[in-house]
Amino acid sequence: MDHFLYRDGALYAEDVPISEIAAAVGTPFYVYSTATLLRHFKLFDDALEGTDHLVCYAMKAASNQAILKTLAQAGAGMDVVSGGEYLRAKAAGVPGDKIVFSGVGKTADEIRTALTGGIRQFNVESEPEMEVINAVALELGVIAPITVRVNPDVDAKTHAKIATGKSENKFGIPIARASDVYARAGSLPGLEVIGIDVHIGSQLTELEPFELAYTKVAELTERLRAEGHNIRRLDLGGGLGIPYTRSNDAPPLPVEYGALIKKTLGHLGCEIEIEPGRLIAGNAGLMVSKVIYVKSGEDRDFLILDGAMNDLIRPAMYEAHHDIVAVQEPAPGVEQRPYDIVGPVCESGDTFAKQRNMPPLQAGDLIAFRSAGAYGAVMASEYNTRPLIPEVLVNGDQFAVIRERPSFDEIINRDTIPSWL
Ligand code: LLP
């Protein structure tokens, strides 16, 4: 459920008409709903009620300071994957002891930043990385709390580019090697082993892969404890999928996911951490764009938008589907017609949808991409010297621009000219 609904024939974000925001900031733009963000965070928090837990929002999904602050004030921790994300989380007021550091290749500098500023734990991805965390901790005279990310070799049954839990993927250490790696970790004086981490992929639409992975984590917990490690925290990653279409079978609910966690791991008495990103932000955001031209091709009509692949890359990159709706609600019974919906970038890949049924549209009409809150703005680029589009946050009947559209001068002046030119 989200808070983007039609009222009296017009699409609203909570209590604000989308057309009002468009008039104020211009198109294209991203708009997020505070109520939806908070509702989704609470679904996870409630799903783990009765268990010692922390929901660490995977801020790679949408990392605007205002979004982080909204979630942090509700009690969320953060899952970060770079020094930059760590600093963003701190800037939004998240205390170090609620920040988990994931990511496949943490550099010594990033590790230093986190150890200096305070960190809940590092999720170690490889043996060489573990050695570097130990060395940096010793250099700073502190002890680094760690879990090791294990790769359970489970098929997440999701798009190949976002599956991470098979042995062929670059993530984590093979679960079969866990005893050796934990023994080494236990011998390093700069590290304190506190738990186990696993994350098998994103946009999972079934519980079964989670169940397989978490069952392996439960077995590993008992084995590592028997080997003398004080395993007391389990980080279970993110990955629960969202409905991208209204017609589709809905993925499992957070409450069902929480019940699975309790069933597979509850008996171990560990503190549970989860790192959801998409389910918190995905359906809390729209990308709003304007039709620039309706062009009749040989055998099809194109809607050419002012938004493009550089603003929302998911369709080009993952063949992802986003529902696209007219901001002006179509009259009941109006006949829909198929359009190819494209952006103005000079690549055929700049296509959001092919032969998508839409109500008749004309130049100047506003449309909205649903489910664009996660992996939308954060993956945008300025390809074709198209400015990063603004982000807007709605809260009830108020809205605020939370990131401005840069001017062309700002973009051009980021470049510097060498002295010989
Ligand atoms: N934890 C770790 C270690 C991760 O790598 C990820 C996502 C998450 C948590 C959050 O997963 P989520 O709950 O959002 O599924 N750009 C792609 C998705 C990439 C996901 C990367 N890792 C997309 O647009 O579909």
Side-chain angles (χ1 to χ4, degrees):
M1 203 211 111
D2 60 44
H3 289 76
F4 301 110
L5 300 171
Y6 287 113
R7 274 191 213 168
D8 303 326
L11 189 65
Y12 274 64
E14 301 190 17
D15 299 329
V16 183
I18 293 290
S19 57
E20 191 181 318
I21 304 173
V25 304
T27 54
F29 63 90
Y30 280 99
V31 55
Y32 307 96
S33 150
T34 300
T36 314
L37 287 167
L38 290 176
R39 177 176 180 276
H40 290 164
F41 167 71
K42 195 166 178 314
L43 288 177
F44 280 112
D45 208 27
D46 290 350
L48 292 175
E49 210 190 323
T51 310
D52 187 11
H53 71 272
L54 184 66
V55 179
C56 293
Y57 169 60
M59 61 180 273
K60 63 165 79 66
S63 57
N64 188 289
Q65 291 289 292
I67 293 176
L68 302 187
K69 239 184 161 109
T70 299
L71 292 168
Q73 284 178 1
M78 297 289 153
D79 169 50
V80 308
V81 290
S82 68
E85 283 196 351
Y86 176 85
L87 293 172
R88 260 188 189 281
K90 289 297 287 266
V94 184
D97 64 5
K98 288 178 108 173
I99 304 177
V100 169
F101 205 141
S102 303
V104 185
K106 305 168 197 75
T107 65
D109 275 349
E110 290 177 318
I111 294 163
R112 201 168 289 118
T113 300
L115 279 175
T116 310
I119 191 77
R120 182 175 177 81
Q121 99 230 5
F122 291 98
N123 293 332
V124 173
E125 288 264 359
S126 68
E127 290 161 275
E129 184 186 81
M130 186 166 94
E131 302 290 335
V132 173
I133 296 174
N134 176 60
V136 175
L138 292 178
E139 164 200 313
L140 296 173
V142 298
I143 306 268
I146 64 145
T147 71
V148 176
R149 176 169 177 184
V150 292
N151 185 325
D153 195 18
V154 163
D155 182 356
K157 300 188 188 155
T158 183
H159 191 284
K161 283 188 184 152
I162 52 174
T164 56
K166 287 287 284 173
S167 57
E168 71 212 39
N169 301 128
K170 67 182 176 184
F171 301 93
I173 57 134
I175 204 160
R177 297 219 47 242
S179 288
D180 288 350
V181 176
Y182 273 86
R184 175 72 185 151
S187 75
L188 294 173
L191 303 184
E192 184 187 8
V193 174
I194 58 167
I196 304 173
D197 171 48
V198 71
H199 170 80
I200 56 174
S202 194
Q203 186 54 16
L204 272 70
T205 53
E206 294 169 32
L207 285 182
E208 194 211 352
F210 288 117
E211 180 156 18
L212 291 172
Y214 296 168
T215 304
K216 289 190 180 189
V217 168
E219 287 161 13
L220 181 63
T221 303
E222 312 227 30
R223 189 163 91 225
L224 293 175
R225 281 178 172 171
E227 289 167 4
H229 301 285
N230 182 4
I231 303 297
R232 54 193 184 276
R233 181 181 294 164
L234 301 177
D235 182 331
L236 304 175
L240 192 59
I242 62 172
Y244 273 99
T245 64
R246 303 220 137 183
S247 48
N248 241 10
D249 282 347
L253 301 171
V255 66
E256 297 168 299
Y257 174 68
L260 173 75
I261 290 174
K262 290 178 187 170
K263 184 182 95 177
T264 49
L265 300 160
H267 60 289
L268 297 165
C270 285
E271 180 186 5
I272 300 293
E273 254 166 32
I274 54 172
E275 304 170 349
R278 188 190 311 266
L279 203 147
I280 291 180
N283 281 327
L286 304 178
M287 183 179 84
V288 178
S289 185
K290 193 165 66 187
V291 177
I292 314 177
Y293 297 113
V294 183
K295 171 170 162 176
S296 295
E298 187 123 306
D299 64 345
R300 61 190 62 214
D301 289 342
F302 294 93
L303 288 181
I304 302 175
L305 308 180
D306 62 359
M309 65 189 289
N310 68 297
D311 305 311
L312 176 65
I313 203 166
R314 302 194 68 260
M317 191 153 172
Y318 312 110
E319 296 85 38
H321 172 100
H322 286 265
D323 276 354
I324 304 172
V325 297
V327 167
Q328 179 81 45
E329 188 175 24
V334 74
E335 203 178 320
Q336 305 235 332
R337 43 190 299 201
Y339 292 102
D340 279 15
I341 304 178
V342 302
V345 162
C346 308
E347 299 205 23
S348 297
D350 186 22
T351 297
F352 291 115
K354 287 199 161 145
Q355 296 299 288
R356 180 75 63 88
N357 276 329
M358 298 288 292
L361 287 164
Q362 49 193 13
D365 286 346
L366 296 175
I367 54 132
F369 289 77
R370 287 192 172 275
S371 317
Y375 308 111
V378 285
M379 293 182 78
S381 75
E382 287 179 340
Y383 186 39
N384 281 206
T385 307
R386 296 169 45 83
L388 288 180
I389 67 178
E391 294 180 285
V392 173
L393 183 65
V394 169
N395 184 15
D397 61 3
Q398 320 175 59
F399 74 90
V401 176
I402 56 174
R403 193 183 65 198
E404 301 268 359
R405 194 189 310 273
S407 70
F408 287 113
D409 278 348
E410 279 165 342
I411 296 175
I412 295 165
N413 292 333
R414 249 185 255 143
D415 299 352
T416 48
I417 308 291
S419 58
W420 64 85
L421 287 178

